[in-house]
Amino acid sequence: MAQRLQASHLLAVVSLCLLASSLGGGKPLVTPITKDASTSLYTSPLEDTHPLVLDLSGPLIWTSTCDNPHQTIQLSERECTQANQYTRPDCWTYTGTGSYDDAGGATKCAAHPYNPVAGGSCASGDLTRVTLSANATDGKNPLYPVTFPAVASCARESLLANLPGGAAGVAGLARSELSLPAQVAATQSVARKLALCLPSGGNGVAVFGGGPLYLLPPWLIEITSSMGSTPLRRYQDQPGYYIWINGININQIPVPLLGHNSNYNVNGGEIVTELRRDVYRPFVEAFDNASTSGFGMQRVSPVAPFEMCYNRSKLWSTRVGYAVPQIDLILEGGARYVVFGANSVVQVDDATVCLAFVEMKRPEELGYAHGQQAPAMVMGGYQMENNLLVFDEEKEQLGYSTLLLFRQTTCSNFNFTMAA
Ligand SMILES: *[C@@H]1O[C@H](CO)[C@@H](O)[C@H](O)[C@H]1NC(C)=O
Ligand SMILES: *[C@@H]1O[C@H](CO)[C@@H](O)[C@H](O)[C@H]1NC(C)=O
Ligand SMILES: *[C@@H]1O[C@H](CO)[C@@H](O)[C@H](O)[C@H]1NC(C)=O
Ligand SMILES: *[C@@H]1O[C@H](CO)[C@@H](O)[C@H](O)[C@H]1NC(C)=O
């Protein structure tokens, strides 16, 4: 079945972080990540047994499990300001920090949860306090369970539409004060750092608070000590993780990118990578040229939502996926982030594989004001699978392992057995 094109934003933020980073000394927390088969979204069992969907671009945690009545947060509290620091361009009508309490006074704090799936839906809900749980870790095993308080927005059950069955809400992982990584950092006295290893099957792993991170067979290897890195950038006051890329090579040949930007920014968070119009066209044409002229691949009819699809029986399988033209993102400073077959093409049926990149909606459809540009690329979860990514808010760096299949391991090889 085709990878469905839905958004799974994942990410984290800061809150009380000065306190957290100066104290230090806590243990990082680990949680498994499951890929939902029908939606291709990634979830973690963070709220008792309820999974929350991971959203790299989301600034908030939200849940549909608020009791009635529930604790509310006052308009004057710092968390109320933090919860309303970011407004999505497509949610500009959902603003305002106050909502009416039952006695008719506008005293309690309203937040604006967002469902990133299926085009996105915006809502309003009370800001409240919830209890989340995960395990402390030494990077090799879970050590002991930890429960911790977190500020989250309540949401109506209707906001769960199109999320995986059983999911209670969304854990925003972006660069905001109330994202999950920021709140773990504040409560556990660990670094504001998220190690994210999305699985293609089985249980992937997320570690809040930083490395080390060991993955199993054939050897117990520590991944975070040998990784590339690139600076995290800010873009248009949005809370997502952005990096600059200077260009794209396909099969070592630069793609002739148009447009007036010499830098292209990349955000994280869709199911498959979306490319802005001016980047998408030359990109797919260069890939198709390299595929058919250099790799002897045979084009077949497109399978929606993908455009460039190929006859699978003409393709070789390798340890790092199908043998297709290599895609290099040229990062700031010249380092390359390399995308191999396992992350660039997706098998949609027995006979067909497709280039797993799609064209982004137009800026107007995304809610951007006239003249504002969308990022050139929104990196999708599929392109991150079996790559360890470390979002380090303290160093403002993105660390990347490249495809773990080269090291003969995968994101599903964390040892989730409790340490003896
Ligand atoms: C801690 O890890 C154990 C073993 O993997 C698991 O059974 C348990 O559900 C985890 N607890 C939490 C709170 O995540
Ligand atoms: C098409 O691919 C061939 C072989 O890889 C290469 O030599 C040529 O430069 C490519 N043309 C374009 C327009 O990318
Ligand atoms: C794919 O390639 C196989 C083997 O060469 C061939 O038998 C089949 O007809 C091709 N499929 C399409 C849709 O062209
Ligand atoms: C996983 O961790 C447990 C607890 O430390 C250990 O007993 C077991 O041998 C480990 N599994 C593997 C495959 O190394």
Side-chain angles (χ1 to χ4, degrees):
M1 172 199 137
Q3 294 286 323
R4 289 175 60 188
L5 244 199
Q6 294 180 334
S8 88
H9 303 222
L10 324 174
L11 263 288
V13 183
V14 180
S15 119
L16 310 175
C17 61
L18 287 181
L19 187 62
S21 48
S22 57
L23 285 175
K27 285 250 187 289
L29 300 185
V30 67
T31 187
I33 301 176
T34 310
K35 182 177 181 177
D36 179 65
S38 63
T39 61
S40 295
L41 295 169
Y42 306 90
T43 65
S44 288
L46 292 158
E47 205 191 345
D48 290 327
T49 52
H50 298 299
L52 296 180
V53 174
L54 302 179
D55 178 0
L56 265 179
S57 328
L60 282 178
I61 301 167
W62 62 261
T63 175
S64 65
T65 61
C66 294
D67 293 330
N68 227 341
H70 46 256
Q71 190 191 348
T72 55
I73 288 176
Q74 300 302 302
L75 265 179
S76 55
E77 291 182 71
R78 179 188 47 202
E79 287 86 350
C80 188
T81 310
Q82 292 172 337
N84 286 285
Q85 192 179 349
Y86 298 100
T87 303
R88 293 184 54 90
D90 49 348
C91 294
W92 60 273
T93 55
Y94 291 81
T95 53
T97 54
S99 78
Y100 292 97
D101 65 18
D102 299 334
T107 55
K108 58 181 185 172
C109 180
H112 304 285
Y114 175 75
N115 178 337
V117 174
S121 26
C122 315
S124 295
D126 292 343
L127 201 61
T128 189
R129 290 180 209 278
V130 296
T131 301
L132 302 181
S133 56
N135 278 297
T137 186
D138 56 1
K140 291 181 177 156
N141 295 96
L143 299 176
Y144 48 85
V146 173
T147 58
F148 57 97
V151 173
S153 174
C154 296
R156 294 204 184 97
E157 264 185 39
S158 55
L159 197 63
L160 297 173
N162 299 314
L163 296 184
V170 166
L173 304 178
R175 307 180 73 181
S176 62
E177 302 295 325
L178 294 182
S179 72
L180 181 57
Q183 297 203 58
V184 171
T187 58
Q188 308 301 305
S189 301
V190 292
R192 271 184 64 191
K193 209 167 162 182
L194 166 65
L196 186 71
C197 211
L198 297 180
S200 56
N203 277 333
V205 56
V207 176
F208 297 88
L213 179 66
Y214 293 84
L215 295 172
L216 279 174
W219 312 282
L220 193 60
I221 32 179
E222 204 288 309
I223 308 293
T224 62
S225 55
S226 54
M227 302 223 299
S229 75
T230 192
L232 287 173
R233 298 295 183 194
R234 295 276 175 189
Y235 186 65
Q236 294 180 350
D237 297 327
Q238 289 299 311
Y241 294 88
Y242 293 91
I243 60 173
W244 291 108
I245 60 174
N246 289 330
I248 304 174
N249 289 358
I250 292 183
N251 200 23
Q252 318 293 343
I253 301 172
V255 177
L257 294 174
L258 307 169
H260 56 275
N261 272 3
S262 59
N263 279 320
Y264 290 80
N265 50 356
V266 178
N267 185 15
E270 297 295 320
I271 295 279
V272 298
T273 296
E274 297 182 348
L275 298 172
R276 203 175 56 209
R277 269 177 121 68
D278 58 306
V279 178
Y280 177 79
R281 205 70 253 155
F283 175 85
V284 293
E285 274 159 19
F287 185 88
D288 192 50
N289 175 50
S291 303
T292 48
S293 67
F295 280 68
M297 290 162 61
Q298 181 195 11
R299 272 281 287 290
V300 296
S301 313
V303 177
F306 304 115
E307 175 180 351
M308 295 293 177
C309 295
Y310 301 90
N311 187 341
R312 183 188 157 214
S313 56
K314 308 263 190 207
L315 282 175
W316 298 98
S317 276
T318 73
R319 201 210 297 169
V320 291
Y322 286 111
V324 298
Q326 176 179 318
I327 299 168
D328 299 340
L329 307 181
I330 313 299
L331 304 174
E332 243 183 289
R336 294 180 311 161
Y337 182 100
V338 185
V339 184
F340 298 96
N343 297 114
S344 62
V345 295
V346 60
Q347 188 172 329
V348 294
D349 59 39
D350 285 351
T352 318
V353 301
C354 298
L355 178 62
F357 290 76
V358 298
E359 186 175 323
M360 199 180 289
K361 287 200 261 182
R362 292 161 175 277
E364 313 84 78
E365 295 173 277
L366 295 168
Y368 283 93
H370 180 70
Q372 267 189 331
Q373 254 198 333
M377 184 183 284
V378 179
M379 190 74 99
Y382 186 75
Q383 275 69 33
M384 301 179 194
E385 286 178 3
N386 290 321
N387 288 258
L388 176 65
L389 296 175
V390 177
F391 299 89
D392 186 335
E393 190 57 33
E394 299 193 357
K395 290 191 188 147
E396 300 198 286
Q397 276 188 347
L398 170 66
Y400 53 92
S401 65
T402 73
L403 190 58
L404 293 171
L405 305 178
F406 276 116
R407 307 191 200 188
Q408 295 178 32
T409 189
T410 71
C411 285
S412 310
N413 279 344
F414 186 79
N415 186 345
F416 274 105
T417 305
M418 213 67 143

